[in-house]
């Protein structure tokens, strides 16, 4: 949250220099109410004793023979809400509020079989960008170098869609693939432009007094992209050049392109209504069930599955729990940032104290009072006054 607030300072710096953002953290530009937020997570409690020695011969108190119940990461919305209800006693709205924490961080293939970021340009911020990514049907394809957002030929947000995507796993795993969802957009290709929409792109902010130019920062990336058209000059190195003002490309250059934004089925299933097949693949929508939508192939002696069907045609998830319809809860948090900032810490505490009555818990010290955190070499270091 502190990092989220600090990023708002960059917005002021960009406005002063009359340039578009280097890193397009576009939620701050489209939704300025995500800036300057505070969440009440200060009250720390002790008292849980789940892992106390059960007299089963374990040497350490944290060893326990109690069975663990894990959610199905490829489950749909109904399965996920049911898991939360049965294991944590929380409502559908509370479950969806809890999953908003996915605005932070990423998944790692070597740990889970999944890969990518829930919110690629937001993954260090705790805010409601997670919900916005799920519900938006248009958007930009964002890249670090040259650090601009690529949309349609007029520079407006391009159509986007979510499609299933399978990851090939290690040879020692039971299945050759795991399924998640990836965002695709239908717009212009990348352009090596140093300006966008009539403004220069902000160079990286100076670090330790040393300014870094746009070209120096992107030297390893610019050669992969189409050059920008300049007055009196045509294509360079046989590549078509890209205009630096609308129209940014030709309609003939449009095609569906995969981005690095991803969702798990447990995320997108709260918004879209689909079922899950025997291999973990999403099914139950016109596009998902069409003939040839999934291609079965051999990989290292095992069967793997790849989705090649295009638009899934999935409907919104209209299943009702606790008097509320699932997709409407997601949309509510996508536009009501303040509501999520109130709801999230409440359900987080409820989950952490699961199975314990209030009188069994003891309030601890206010451990965050006087704590200041600074980011140094990519790592947060916190000190207490």
């Amino acid at each position: 949250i502190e990092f989220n607030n600090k990023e708002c300072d960059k917005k002021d710096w960009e406005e002063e220099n009359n340039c578009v953002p280097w890193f397009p953290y576009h939620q701050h530009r489209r939704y300025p109410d995500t800036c300057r937020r505070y969440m009440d997570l200060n009250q720390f409690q002790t008292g849980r004793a789940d892992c106390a020695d059960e007299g089963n011969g374990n040497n350490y108190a944290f060893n326990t023979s109690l069975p663990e119940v894990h959610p199905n990461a490829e489950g749909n919305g109904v399965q996920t809400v049911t898991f939360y209800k049965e294991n944590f006693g929380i409502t559908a709205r509370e479950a969806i509020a809890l999953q908003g924490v996915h605005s932070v961080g990423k998944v790692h293939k070597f740990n889970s079989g999944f890969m990518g970021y829930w919110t690629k340009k937001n993954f260090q911020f705790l805010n409601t960008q997670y919900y916005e990514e799920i519900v938006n049907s248009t958007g930009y394809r964002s890249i670090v170098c040259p650090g601009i957002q690529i949309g349609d030929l007029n520079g407006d947000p391009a159509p986007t869609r979510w499609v299933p995507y399978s990851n090939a796993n290690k040879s020692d795993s039971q299945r050759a693939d795991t399924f998640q969802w990836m965002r695709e957009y239908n717009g212009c290709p990348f352009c090596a432009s140093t300006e966008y929409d009539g403004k220069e792109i902000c160079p990286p902010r100076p670090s330790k007094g040393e300014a870094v130019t746009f070209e120096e920062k992107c030297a390893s990336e610019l050669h992969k992209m189409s050059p920008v058209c300049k007055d009196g000059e045509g294509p360079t190195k046989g590549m078509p050049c890209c205009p630096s003002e609308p129209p940014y490309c030709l309609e003939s250059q449009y095609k569906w392109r995969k981005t690095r934004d991803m969702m798990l089925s447990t995320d997108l299933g709260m918004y879209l209504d689909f079922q899950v097949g025997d291999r973990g693949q999403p099914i139950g929508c016109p596009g998902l069930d069409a003939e040839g939508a999934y291609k079965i192939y051999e990989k290292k002696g095992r069967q793997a599955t790849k989705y090649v069907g295009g638009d899934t045609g999935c409907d919104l998830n209209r299943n009702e729990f606790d008097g509320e319809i699932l997709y409407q809860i997601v949309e509510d948090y996508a536009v009501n940032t303040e509501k999520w900032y109130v709801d999230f810490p409440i359900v987080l505490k409820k989950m952490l104290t699961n199975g314990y009555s209030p009188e069994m818990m003891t309030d601890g010290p206010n451990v965050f009072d006087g704590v200041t955190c600074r980011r140094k070499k990519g790592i947060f270091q916190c000190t207490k006054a």
Side-chain angles (χ1 to χ4, degrees), residues 50-65:
D50 322 40
C51 298
D53 187 2
E54 300 171 329
N56 55 9
N58 290 326
N59 294 324
Y60 302 100
F62 56 78
N63 288 340
T64 178
S65 60

Side-chain angles (χ1 to χ4, degrees), residues 48 50 87-88 350-357 360-361:
R48 293 191 66 98
D50 322 40
N87 293 277
F88 294 98
K350 185 175 181 178
M351 185 192 72
L352 293 175
T353 57
N354 180 40
Y356 289 79
S357 58
M360 299 173 70
M361 305 301 292

Side-chain angles (χ1 to χ4, degrees), residues 330-360:
V330 179
E331 290 185 342
D332 186 25
Y333 284 134
V335 298
N336 197 330
T337 301
E338 187 63 43
K339 181 180 290 187
W340 181 79
Y341 271 92
V342 171
D343 292 350
F344 175 74
I346 296 174
V347 66
L348 177 62
K349 181 177 179 179
K350 185 175 181 178
M351 185 192 72
L352 293 175
T353 57
N354 180 40
Y356 289 79
S357 58
E359 59 269 16
M360 299 173 70

Side-chain angles (χ1 to χ4, degrees), residues 298-335:
E298 292 290 327
K299 185 175 182 66
K300 296 183 178 180
R302 299 171 300 157
Q303 279 194 338
T305 310
K306 182 179 181 180
Y307 180 73
V308 293
D311 196 336
T312 65
C314 292
D315 193 9
L316 298 174
N317 193 336
R318 304 179 189 276
N319 286 287
E320 185 174 328
F321 287 86
D322 313 303
E324 294 192 275
I325 297 174
L326 292 185
Y327 89 87
Q328 292 179 348
I329 301 175
V330 179
E331 290 185 342
D332 186 25
Y333 284 134
V335 298

Side-chain angles (χ1 to χ4, degrees), residues 14 20 80 82 89 115 135 157 171 175 194 199 227 245 250 264 281 332 342 349 357:
E14 290 152 5
V20 293
T80 305
T82 301
M115 59 184 292
V135 306
S171 58
R175 281 170 36 201
T194 58
K199 290 185 178 182
E245 59 184 22
L250 303 175
L264 301 181
Q281 76 275 26
D332 186 25
V342 171
K349 181 177 179 179
S357 58

